PDB file of all heavy atoms in Angstrom:
ATOM      1  N   SER A 116     -13.052 -60.358  32.882  1.00  0.00           N
ATOM      2  CA  SER A 116     -11.921 -61.128  32.492  1.00  0.00           C
ATOM      3  C   SER A 116     -11.522 -60.506  31.168  1.00  0.00           C
ATOM      4  O   SER A 116     -12.272 -60.234  30.250  1.00  0.00           O
ATOM      5  CB  SER A 116     -12.315 -62.524  32.396  1.00  0.00           C
ATOM      6  OG  SER A 116     -12.475 -63.016  33.626  1.00  0.00           O
ATOM      7  N   VAL A 117     -10.153 -60.429  31.021  1.00  0.00           N
ATOM      8  CA  VAL A 117      -9.668 -59.860  29.810  1.00  0.00           C
ATOM      9  C   VAL A 117      -8.302 -60.451  29.473  1.00  0.00           C
ATOM     10  O   VAL A 117      -7.524 -60.900  30.414  1.00  0.00           O
ATOM     11  CB  VAL A 117      -9.457 -58.260  29.857  1.00  0.00           C
ATOM     12  CG1 VAL A 117      -8.505 -57.859  30.892  1.00  0.00           C
ATOM     13  CG2 VAL A 117      -9.187 -57.665  28.636  1.00  0.00           C
ATOM     14  N   GLN A 118      -7.887 -60.489  28.218  1.00  0.00           N
ATOM     15  CA  GLN A 118      -6.592 -61.019  27.910  1.00  0.00           C
ATOM     16  C   GLN A 118      -5.551 -59.893  28.226  1.00  0.00           C
ATOM     17  O   GLN A 118      -5.841 -58.729  28.089  1.00  0.00           O
ATOM     18  CB  GLN A 118      -6.565 -61.507  26.467  1.00  0.00           C
ATOM     19  CG  GLN A 118      -7.455 -62.682  26.125  1.00  0.00           C
ATOM     20  CD  GLN A 118      -7.279 -63.309  24.784  1.00  0.00           C
ATOM     21  OE1 GLN A 118      -6.889 -62.520  23.785  1.00  0.00           O
ATOM     22  NE2 GLN A 118      -7.672 -64.577  24.553  1.00  0.00           N
ATOM     23  N   PRO A 119      -4.218 -60.407  28.276  1.00  0.00           N
ATOM     24  CA  PRO A 119      -3.146 -59.455  28.408  1.00  0.00           C
ATOM     25  C   PRO A 119      -3.176 -58.498  27.217  1.00  0.00           C
ATOM     26  O   PRO A 119      -3.279 -58.909  26.061  1.00  0.00           O
ATOM     27  CB  PRO A 119      -1.970 -60.387  28.515  1.00  0.00           C
ATOM     28  CG  PRO A 119      -2.329 -61.701  29.026  1.00  0.00           C
ATOM     29  CD  PRO A 119      -3.827 -61.836  28.614  1.00  0.00           C
ATOM     30  N   GLY A 120      -2.813 -57.350  27.509  1.00  0.00           N
ATOM     31  CA  GLY A 120      -2.960 -56.240  26.420  1.00  0.00           C
ATOM     32  C   GLY A 120      -4.190 -55.655  26.201  1.00  0.00           C
ATOM     33  O   GLY A 120      -4.428 -54.647  25.524  1.00  0.00           O
ATOM     34  N   GLY A 121      -5.328 -56.168  26.779  1.00  0.00           N
ATOM     35  CA  GLY A 121      -6.566 -55.714  26.635  1.00  0.00           C
ATOM     36  C   GLY A 121      -7.025 -54.419  27.585  1.00  0.00           C
ATOM     37  O   GLY A 121      -6.019 -53.929  28.318  1.00  0.00           O
ATOM     38  N   SER A 122      -8.148 -53.909  27.411  1.00  0.00           N
ATOM     39  CA  SER A 122      -8.645 -52.747  28.312  1.00  0.00           C
ATOM     40  C   SER A 122      -9.793 -52.984  28.987  1.00  0.00           C
ATOM     41  O   SER A 122     -10.720 -53.812  28.490  1.00  0.00           O
ATOM     42  CB  SER A 122      -8.817 -51.593  27.381  1.00  0.00           C
ATOM     43  OG  SER A 122      -7.517 -51.268  26.606  1.00  0.00           O
ATOM     44  N   LEU A 123     -10.123 -52.345  30.082  1.00  0.00           N
ATOM     45  CA  LEU A 123     -11.328 -52.209  30.794  1.00  0.00           C
ATOM     46  C   LEU A 123     -11.534 -50.943  31.315  1.00  0.00           C
ATOM     47  O   LEU A 123     -10.566 -50.112  31.705  1.00  0.00           O
ATOM     48  CB  LEU A 123     -11.354 -53.137  32.035  1.00  0.00           C
ATOM     49  CG  LEU A 123     -11.477 -54.701  31.684  1.00  0.00           C
ATOM     50  CD1 LEU A 123     -11.229 -55.505  32.977  1.00  0.00           C
ATOM     51  CD2 LEU A 123     -12.863 -55.164  31.139  1.00  0.00           C
ATOM     52  N   ARG A 124     -12.717 -50.361  31.540  1.00  0.00           N
ATOM     53  CA  ARG A 124     -13.016 -49.154  32.221  1.00  0.00           C
ATOM     54  C   ARG A 124     -13.809 -49.458  33.432  1.00  0.00           C
ATOM     55  O   ARG A 124     -14.954 -49.925  33.259  1.00  0.00           O
ATOM     56  CB  ARG A 124     -13.724 -48.179  31.269  1.00  0.00           C
ATOM     57  CG  ARG A 124     -13.815 -46.740  31.944  1.00  0.00           C
ATOM     58  CD  ARG A 124     -14.566 -45.835  31.116  1.00  0.00           C
ATOM     59  NE  ARG A 124     -15.883 -45.970  30.987  1.00  0.00           N
ATOM     60  CZ  ARG A 124     -16.747 -44.861  30.592  1.00  0.00           C
ATOM     61  NH1 ARG A 124     -16.156 -43.726  30.215  1.00  0.00           N
ATOM     62  NH2 ARG A 124     -18.132 -45.081  30.501  1.00  0.00           N
ATOM     63  N   LEU A 125     -13.252 -49.164  34.533  1.00  0.00           N
ATOM     64  CA  LEU A 125     -14.059 -49.294  35.740  1.00  0.00           C
ATOM     65  C   LEU A 125     -14.842 -48.065  36.124  1.00  0.00           C
ATOM     66  O   LEU A 125     -14.366 -46.907  35.850  1.00  0.00           O
ATOM     67  CB  LEU A 125     -13.126 -49.569  37.001  1.00  0.00           C
ATOM     68  CG  LEU A 125     -12.276 -50.879  36.762  1.00  0.00           C
ATOM     69  CD1 LEU A 125     -11.394 -51.147  38.001  1.00  0.00           C
ATOM     70  CD2 LEU A 125     -13.055 -52.059  36.356  1.00  0.00           C
ATOM     71  N   SER A 126     -16.006 -48.123  36.640  1.00  0.00           N
ATOM     72  CA  SER A 126     -16.750 -47.076  37.012  1.00  0.00           C
ATOM     73  C   SER A 126     -17.144 -47.137  38.587  1.00  0.00           C
ATOM     74  O   SER A 126     -17.162 -48.118  39.156  1.00  0.00           O
ATOM     75  CB  SER A 126     -18.243 -47.019  36.403  1.00  0.00           C
ATOM     76  OG  SER A 126     -17.994 -46.883  34.989  1.00  0.00           O
ATOM     77  N   CYS A 127     -17.154 -46.055  39.184  1.00  0.00           N
ATOM     78  CA  CYS A 127     -17.506 -45.888  40.546  1.00  0.00           C
ATOM     79  C   CYS A 127     -18.551 -44.767  40.714  1.00  0.00           C
ATOM     80  O   CYS A 127     -18.293 -43.637  40.504  1.00  0.00           O
ATOM     81  CB  CYS A 127     -16.240 -45.378  41.377  1.00  0.00           C
ATOM     82  SG  CYS A 127     -16.539 -44.983  43.216  1.00  0.00           S
ATOM     83  N   THR A 128     -19.733 -45.333  40.924  1.00  0.00           N
ATOM     84  CA  THR A 128     -20.946 -44.411  40.963  1.00  0.00           C
ATOM     85  C   THR A 128     -21.302 -44.045  42.340  1.00  0.00           C
ATOM     86  O   THR A 128     -21.462 -44.860  43.083  1.00  0.00           O
ATOM     87  CB  THR A 128     -22.087 -44.986  40.076  1.00  0.00           C
ATOM     88  OG1 THR A 128     -21.598 -45.275  38.815  1.00  0.00           O
ATOM     89  CG2 THR A 128     -23.270 -44.050  40.155  1.00  0.00           C
ATOM     90  N   ALA A 129     -21.507 -42.865  42.645  1.00  0.00           N
ATOM     91  CA  ALA A 129     -21.947 -42.459  43.925  1.00  0.00           C
ATOM     92  C   ALA A 129     -23.373 -42.075  43.949  1.00  0.00           C
ATOM     93  O   ALA A 129     -24.113 -41.778  43.042  1.00  0.00           O
ATOM     94  CB  ALA A 129     -21.272 -41.127  44.301  1.00  0.00           C
ATOM     95  N   SER A 130     -23.972 -42.362  45.220  1.00  0.00           N
ATOM     96  CA  SER A 130     -25.362 -42.041  45.498  1.00  0.00           C
ATOM     97  C   SER A 130     -25.424 -41.539  46.951  1.00  0.00           C
ATOM     98  O   SER A 130     -24.446 -41.704  47.786  1.00  0.00           O
ATOM     99  CB  SER A 130     -26.285 -43.124  45.365  1.00  0.00           C
ATOM    100  OG  SER A 130     -25.874 -44.253  46.297  1.00  0.00           O
ATOM    101  N   GLY A 131     -26.466 -40.832  47.287  1.00  0.00           N
ATOM    102  CA  GLY A 131     -26.557 -40.245  48.660  1.00  0.00           C
ATOM    103  C   GLY A 131     -25.956 -38.854  48.803  1.00  0.00           C
ATOM    104  O   GLY A 131     -26.238 -38.169  49.797  1.00  0.00           O
ATOM    105  N   ASP A 132     -24.993 -38.590  47.979  1.00  0.00           N
ATOM    106  CA  ASP A 132     -24.393 -37.199  48.096  1.00  0.00           C
ATOM    107  C   ASP A 132     -23.784 -36.966  46.681  1.00  0.00           C
ATOM    108  O   ASP A 132     -23.546 -37.917  45.902  1.00  0.00           O
ATOM    109  CB  ASP A 132     -23.306 -37.184  49.071  1.00  0.00           C
ATOM    110  CG  ASP A 132     -22.917 -35.826  49.542  1.00  0.00           C
ATOM    111  OD1 ASP A 132     -23.416 -34.785  48.932  1.00  0.00           O
ATOM    112  OD2 ASP A 132     -22.178 -35.749  50.604  1.00  0.00           O
ATOM    113  N   THR A 133     -23.209 -35.741  46.520  1.00  0.00           N
ATOM    114  CA  THR A 133     -22.592 -35.360  45.279  1.00  0.00           C
ATOM    115  C   THR A 133     -21.207 -35.780  45.328  1.00  0.00           C
ATOM    116  O   THR A 133     -20.422 -35.336  46.244  1.00  0.00           O
ATOM    117  CB  THR A 133     -22.743 -33.757  45.128  1.00  0.00           C
ATOM    118  OG1 THR A 133     -24.192 -33.460  45.138  1.00  0.00           O
ATOM    119  CG2 THR A 133     -22.150 -33.397  43.765  1.00  0.00           C
ATOM    120  N   LEU A 134     -20.670 -36.386  44.255  1.00  0.00           N
ATOM    121  CA  LEU A 134     -19.335 -36.954  44.308  1.00  0.00           C
ATOM    122  C   LEU A 134     -18.358 -35.649  44.232  1.00  0.00           C
ATOM    123  O   LEU A 134     -17.236 -35.843  44.684  1.00  0.00           O
ATOM    124  CB  LEU A 134     -19.043 -37.818  43.007  1.00  0.00           C
ATOM    125  CG  LEU A 134     -17.850 -38.601  43.011  1.00  0.00           C
ATOM    126  CD1 LEU A 134     -17.659 -39.516  44.213  1.00  0.00           C
ATOM    127  CD2 LEU A 134     -17.645 -39.333  41.757  1.00  0.00           C
ATOM    128  N   ASP A 135     -18.798 -34.600  43.810  1.00  0.00           N
ATOM    129  CA  ASP A 135     -18.007 -33.424  43.722  1.00  0.00           C
ATOM    130  C   ASP A 135     -17.549 -32.900  45.232  1.00  0.00           C
ATOM    131  O   ASP A 135     -16.559 -32.145  45.292  1.00  0.00           O
ATOM    132  CB  ASP A 135     -18.693 -32.352  43.006  1.00  0.00           C
ATOM    133  CG  ASP A 135     -17.799 -31.150  42.623  1.00  0.00           C
ATOM    134  OD1 ASP A 135     -16.681 -31.358  42.326  1.00  0.00           O
ATOM    135  OD2 ASP A 135     -18.297 -29.903  42.784  1.00  0.00           O
ATOM    136  N   ASN A 136     -18.131 -33.383  46.086  1.00  0.00           N
ATOM    137  CA  ASN A 136     -17.788 -33.068  47.464  1.00  0.00           C
ATOM    138  C   ASN A 136     -16.620 -33.876  47.968  1.00  0.00           C
ATOM    139  O   ASN A 136     -16.198 -33.639  49.128  1.00  0.00           O
ATOM    140  CB  ASN A 136     -18.972 -33.331  48.394  1.00  0.00           C
ATOM    141  CG  ASN A 136     -20.193 -32.319  48.128  1.00  0.00           C
ATOM    142  OD1 ASN A 136     -19.787 -31.176  47.593  1.00  0.00           O
ATOM    143  ND2 ASN A 136     -21.342 -32.604  48.374  1.00  0.00           N
ATOM    144  N   TYR A 137     -16.117 -34.824  47.177  1.00  0.00           N
ATOM    145  CA  TYR A 137     -15.220 -35.853  47.706  1.00  0.00           C
ATOM    146  C   TYR A 137     -13.855 -36.004  46.834  1.00  0.00           C
ATOM    147  O   TYR A 137     -13.925 -35.772  45.618  1.00  0.00           O
ATOM    148  CB  TYR A 137     -15.843 -37.131  47.720  1.00  0.00           C
ATOM    149  CG  TYR A 137     -17.034 -37.153  48.730  1.00  0.00           C
ATOM    150  CD1 TYR A 137     -18.301 -36.907  48.270  1.00  0.00           C
ATOM    151  CD2 TYR A 137     -16.832 -37.454  50.225  1.00  0.00           C
ATOM    152  CE1 TYR A 137     -19.371 -36.882  49.152  1.00  0.00           C
ATOM    153  CE2 TYR A 137     -17.946 -37.550  50.984  1.00  0.00           C
ATOM    154  CZ  TYR A 137     -19.097 -37.143  50.499  1.00  0.00           C
ATOM    155  OH  TYR A 137     -20.305 -37.207  51.351  1.00  0.00           O
ATOM    156  N   ASN A 138     -12.901 -36.218  47.477  1.00  0.00           N
ATOM    157  CA  ASN A 138     -11.651 -36.630  46.791  1.00  0.00           C
ATOM    158  C   ASN A 138     -11.746 -38.197  46.557  1.00  0.00           C
ATOM    159  O   ASN A 138     -12.374 -38.884  47.393  1.00  0.00           O
ATOM    160  CB  ASN A 138     -10.349 -36.284  47.510  1.00  0.00           C
ATOM    161  CG  ASN A 138     -10.232 -34.863  47.826  1.00  0.00           C
ATOM    162  OD1 ASN A 138     -10.231 -34.076  46.874  1.00  0.00           O
ATOM    163  ND2 ASN A 138     -10.003 -34.389  49.203  1.00  0.00           N
ATOM    164  N   ILE A 139     -11.188 -38.612  45.482  1.00  0.00           N
ATOM    165  CA  ILE A 139     -11.433 -40.025  45.007  1.00  0.00           C
ATOM    166  C   ILE A 139     -10.111 -40.806  45.029  1.00  0.00           C
ATOM    167  O   ILE A 139      -8.934 -40.246  44.569  1.00  0.00           O
ATOM    168  CB  ILE A 139     -11.963 -40.097  43.762  1.00  0.00           C
ATOM    169  CG1 ILE A 139     -13.413 -39.489  43.641  1.00  0.00           C
ATOM    170  CG2 ILE A 139     -12.055 -41.473  43.180  1.00  0.00           C
ATOM    171  CD1 ILE A 139     -14.460 -40.089  44.426  1.00  0.00           C
ATOM    172  N   GLY A 140      -9.950 -42.072  45.466  1.00  0.00           N
ATOM    173  CA  GLY A 140      -8.913 -42.901  45.370  1.00  0.00           C
ATOM    174  C   GLY A 140      -9.397 -44.203  44.806  1.00  0.00           C
ATOM    175  O   GLY A 140     -10.553 -44.653  45.013  1.00  0.00           O
ATOM    176  N   TRP A 141      -8.481 -44.914  43.991  1.00  0.00           N
ATOM    177  CA  TRP A 141      -8.723 -46.133  43.364  1.00  0.00           C
ATOM    178  C   TRP A 141      -7.693 -47.140  44.088  1.00  0.00           C
ATOM    179  O   TRP A 141      -6.460 -46.746  44.066  1.00  0.00           O
ATOM    180  CB  TRP A 141      -8.646 -46.287  41.918  1.00  0.00           C
ATOM    181  CG  TRP A 141      -9.931 -45.767  41.316  1.00  0.00           C
ATOM    182  CD1 TRP A 141     -10.191 -44.491  40.889  1.00  0.00           C
ATOM    183  CD2 TRP A 141     -11.052 -46.517  40.909  1.00  0.00           C
ATOM    184  NE1 TRP A 141     -11.395 -44.488  40.396  1.00  0.00           N
ATOM    185  CE2 TRP A 141     -11.929 -45.772  40.250  1.00  0.00           C
ATOM    186  CE3 TRP A 141     -11.331 -47.968  41.084  1.00  0.00           C
ATOM    187  CZ2 TRP A 141     -13.125 -46.233  39.921  1.00  0.00           C
ATOM    188  CZ3 TRP A 141     -12.513 -48.381  40.602  1.00  0.00           C
ATOM    189  CH2 TRP A 141     -13.419 -47.557  39.965  1.00  0.00           C
ATOM    190  N   PHE A 142      -8.042 -48.284  44.580  1.00  0.00           N
ATOM    191  CA  PHE A 142      -7.133 -49.258  45.204  1.00  0.00           C
ATOM    192  C   PHE A 142      -7.403 -50.565  44.570  1.00  0.00           C
ATOM    193  O   PHE A 142      -8.420 -50.853  43.865  1.00  0.00           O
ATOM    194  CB  PHE A 142      -7.529 -49.333  46.787  1.00  0.00           C
ATOM    195  CG  PHE A 142      -7.099 -48.054  47.349  1.00  0.00           C
ATOM    196  CD1 PHE A 142      -7.870 -46.947  47.417  1.00  0.00           C
ATOM    197  CD2 PHE A 142      -6.057 -48.146  48.259  1.00  0.00           C
ATOM    198  CE1 PHE A 142      -7.568 -45.855  48.175  1.00  0.00           C
ATOM    199  CE2 PHE A 142      -5.589 -46.988  48.991  1.00  0.00           C
ATOM    200  CZ  PHE A 142      -6.459 -45.872  48.965  1.00  0.00           C
ATOM    201  N   ARG A 143      -6.573 -51.441  44.767  1.00  0.00           N
ATOM    202  CA  ARG A 143      -6.721 -52.873  44.267  1.00  0.00           C
ATOM    203  C   ARG A 143      -6.037 -53.794  45.371  1.00  0.00           C
ATOM    204  O   ARG A 143      -5.050 -53.363  46.131  1.00  0.00           O
ATOM    205  CB  ARG A 143      -6.132 -53.075  42.947  1.00  0.00           C
ATOM    206  CG  ARG A 143      -4.599 -52.964  42.916  1.00  0.00           C
ATOM    207  CD  ARG A 143      -4.192 -53.113  41.438  1.00  0.00           C
ATOM    208  NE  ARG A 143      -2.690 -53.122  41.230  1.00  0.00           N
ATOM    209  CZ  ARG A 143      -2.060 -53.056  40.035  1.00  0.00           C
ATOM    210  NH1 ARG A 143      -2.759 -53.158  38.905  1.00  0.00           N
ATOM    211  NH2 ARG A 143      -0.767 -53.039  40.132  1.00  0.00           N
ATOM    212  N   GLN A 144      -6.613 -54.998  45.374  1.00  0.00           N
ATOM    213  CA  GLN A 144      -6.139 -55.940  46.346  1.00  0.00           C
ATOM    214  C   GLN A 144      -6.146 -57.352  45.605  1.00  0.00           C
ATOM    215  O   GLN A 144      -7.004 -57.917  45.348  1.00  0.00           O
ATOM    216  CB  GLN A 144      -6.931 -56.039  47.668  1.00  0.00           C
ATOM    217  CG  GLN A 144      -6.327 -56.993  48.722  1.00  0.00           C
ATOM    218  CD  GLN A 144      -6.916 -56.709  50.009  1.00  0.00           C
ATOM    219  OE1 GLN A 144      -8.119 -56.225  50.101  1.00  0.00           O
ATOM    220  NE2 GLN A 144      -6.283 -57.022  51.083  1.00  0.00           N
ATOM    221  N   ALA A 145      -4.808 -57.813  45.523  1.00  0.00           N
ATOM    222  CA  ALA A 145      -4.661 -59.132  44.862  1.00  0.00           C
ATOM    223  C   ALA A 145      -4.659 -60.181  46.010  1.00  0.00           C
ATOM    224  O   ALA A 145      -4.341 -59.917  47.175  1.00  0.00           O
ATOM    225  CB  ALA A 145      -3.361 -59.174  44.154  1.00  0.00           C
ATOM    226  N   PRO A 146      -4.985 -61.507  45.646  1.00  0.00           N
ATOM    227  CA  PRO A 146      -4.987 -62.476  46.704  1.00  0.00           C
ATOM    228  C   PRO A 146      -3.813 -62.577  47.521  1.00  0.00           C
ATOM    229  O   PRO A 146      -2.562 -62.569  46.865  1.00  0.00           O
ATOM    230  CB  PRO A 146      -5.174 -63.724  45.839  1.00  0.00           C
ATOM    231  CG  PRO A 146      -5.883 -63.313  44.623  1.00  0.00           C
ATOM    232  CD  PRO A 146      -5.264 -61.833  44.344  1.00  0.00           C
ATOM    233  N   GLY A 147      -3.864 -62.589  48.864  1.00  0.00           N
ATOM    234  CA  GLY A 147      -2.580 -62.639  49.593  1.00  0.00           C
ATOM    235  C   GLY A 147      -1.796 -61.355  49.808  1.00  0.00           C
ATOM    236  O   GLY A 147      -0.710 -61.534  50.482  1.00  0.00           O
ATOM    237  N   LYS A 148      -2.216 -60.304  49.266  1.00  0.00           N
ATOM    238  CA  LYS A 148      -1.454 -59.095  49.298  1.00  0.00           C
ATOM    239  C   LYS A 148      -2.322 -58.001  49.984  1.00  0.00           C
ATOM    240  O   LYS A 148      -3.567 -58.041  50.120  1.00  0.00           O
ATOM    241  CB  LYS A 148      -1.008 -58.597  47.829  1.00  0.00           C
ATOM    242  CG  LYS A 148      -0.157 -59.595  47.170  1.00  0.00           C
ATOM    243  CD  LYS A 148       0.414 -58.985  45.921  1.00  0.00           C
ATOM    244  CE  LYS A 148       1.495 -59.957  45.264  1.00  0.00           C
ATOM    245  NZ  LYS A 148       1.965 -59.271  44.078  1.00  0.00           N
ATOM    246  N   GLU A 149      -1.564 -56.922  50.416  1.00  0.00           N
ATOM    247  CA  GLU A 149      -2.206 -55.708  51.046  1.00  0.00           C
ATOM    248  C   GLU A 149      -3.011 -54.898  49.994  1.00  0.00           C
ATOM    249  O   GLU A 149      -2.611 -55.003  48.788  1.00  0.00           O
ATOM    250  CB  GLU A 149      -1.279 -54.961  51.782  1.00  0.00           C
ATOM    251  CG  GLU A 149      -0.681 -55.579  53.025  1.00  0.00           C
ATOM    252  CD  GLU A 149       0.144 -54.719  53.868  1.00  0.00           C
ATOM    253  OE1 GLU A 149       0.354 -53.484  53.363  1.00  0.00           O
ATOM    254  OE2 GLU A 149       0.621 -55.035  54.879  1.00  0.00           O
ATOM    255  N   ARG A 150      -3.996 -54.189  50.345  1.00  0.00           N
ATOM    256  CA  ARG A 150      -4.582 -53.261  49.486  1.00  0.00           C
ATOM    257  C   ARG A 150      -3.596 -52.152  48.986  1.00  0.00           C
ATOM    258  O   ARG A 150      -2.926 -51.530  49.871  1.00  0.00           O
ATOM    259  CB  ARG A 150      -5.892 -52.626  50.241  1.00  0.00           C
ATOM    260  CG  ARG A 150      -6.757 -52.046  49.269  1.00  0.00           C
ATOM    261  CD  ARG A 150      -8.127 -51.806  49.848  1.00  0.00           C
ATOM    262  NE  ARG A 150      -8.850 -53.003  50.193  1.00  0.00           N
ATOM    263  CZ  ARG A 150     -10.114 -53.037  50.591  1.00  0.00           C
ATOM    264  NH1 ARG A 150     -10.790 -51.978  50.673  1.00  0.00           N
ATOM    265  NH2 ARG A 150     -10.744 -54.194  50.876  1.00  0.00           N
ATOM    266  N   GLU A 151      -3.571 -52.012  47.773  1.00  0.00           N
ATOM    267  CA  GLU A 151      -2.609 -50.948  47.287  1.00  0.00           C
ATOM    268  C   GLU A 151      -3.406 -49.769  46.579  1.00  0.00           C
ATOM    269  O   GLU A 151      -4.190 -49.887  45.819  1.00  0.00           O
ATOM    270  CB  GLU A 151      -1.741 -51.792  46.112  1.00  0.00           C
ATOM    271  CG  GLU A 151      -0.956 -50.896  45.260  1.00  0.00           C
ATOM    272  CD  GLU A 151      -0.370 -51.661  44.058  1.00  0.00           C
ATOM    273  OE1 GLU A 151      -1.037 -52.664  43.708  1.00  0.00           O
ATOM    274  OE2 GLU A 151       0.594 -51.137  43.487  1.00  0.00           O
ATOM    275  N   GLY A 152      -2.870 -48.570  46.853  1.00  0.00           N
ATOM    276  CA  GLY A 152      -3.441 -47.445  46.361  1.00  0.00           C
ATOM    277  C   GLY A 152      -2.746 -47.164  44.962  1.00  0.00           C
ATOM    278  O   GLY A 152      -1.590 -47.204  44.918  1.00  0.00           O
ATOM    279  N   ILE A 153      -3.472 -47.064  43.929  1.00  0.00           N
ATOM    280  CA  ILE A 153      -2.989 -46.936  42.654  1.00  0.00           C
ATOM    281  C   ILE A 153      -3.213 -45.671  41.808  1.00  0.00           C
ATOM    282  O   ILE A 153      -2.461 -45.280  40.945  1.00  0.00           O
ATOM    283  CB  ILE A 153      -3.458 -48.021  41.602  1.00  0.00           C
ATOM    284  CG1 ILE A 153      -4.905 -48.248  41.591  1.00  0.00           C
ATOM    285  CG2 ILE A 153      -2.812 -49.460  42.182  1.00  0.00           C
ATOM    286  CD1 ILE A 153      -5.587 -49.205  40.514  1.00  0.00           C
TER     287      ILE A 153
END
């Protein structure tokens, strides 16, 4: 939770394989909405 104007850093950590083998996408889904690629 953060106030408007604030910052966060999200991490996506991979295991089982090297992340360098993959293309990455970040998505978000708000309540009642479709998942959105950002």
Side-chain angles (χ1 to χ4, degrees):
S116 295
V117 64
Q118 293 187 339
S122 298
L123 286 173
R124 188 178 77 160
L125 305 184
S126 298
C127 172
T128 301
S130 62
D132 199 352
T133 302
L134 192 63
D135 192 35
N136 291 332
Y137 300 89
N138 298 311
I139 299 294
W141 282 90
F142 291 75
R143 67 185 182 187
Q144 189 165 19
K148 295 190 176 181
E149 292 188 354
R150 195 166 294 191
E151 171 193 15
I153 58 173

